[in-house]
Amino acid sequence: MKLSRPVSWFLLAFGVWSWVIWITFVRNLVKDSSGLAFDDGHPTAYFFVHLTLAVVSFVLGTVVGGIGLRGLRALSRTSRAS
């Protein structure tokens, strides 16, 4: 399957965006003082659920971004070979 340049850039941007958003979220989750993430210093179910969501999003963002990067590299090789 061959990806177009705009689709490849979109996938790469999505992967980067996913990392930026979820890193920010995890930092805020760890610093949470509202009592949702930590109860008397111990992590709550809310913390573990959202940490799991973040980890899954990191993995998916990496995979999607990697597909976009591979698409751009393939296009680059094709244009140099022509």
Side-chain angles (χ1 to χ4, degrees):
M1 174 201 243
K2 188 174 181 181
L3 299 174
S4 68
R5 190 170 308 279
V7 169
S8 295
W9 275 111
F10 174 78
L11 294 175
L12 182 59
F14 178 85
V16 170
W17 177 254
S18 180
W19 271 84
V20 169
I21 290 301
W22 284 99
I23 284 175
T24 303
F25 181 81
V26 168
R27 283 183 185 158
N28 291 335
L29 182 65
V30 169
K31 290 189 274 184
D32 179 59
S33 61
S34 70
L36 286 174
F38 296 97
D39 185 24
D40 292 328
H42 300 289
T44 63
Y46 176 91
F47 176 83
F48 288 116
V49 166
H50 286 83
L51 185 62
T52 302
L53 287 172
V55 169
V56 169
S57 293
F58 288 143
V59 171
L60 292 176
T62 301
V63 170
V64 169
I67 292 169
L69 185 60
R70 287 180 65 187
L72 288 172
R73 285 182 177 169
L75 288 167
S76 171
R77 282 191 301 268
T78 304
S79 67
R80 278 189 271 158
S82 303

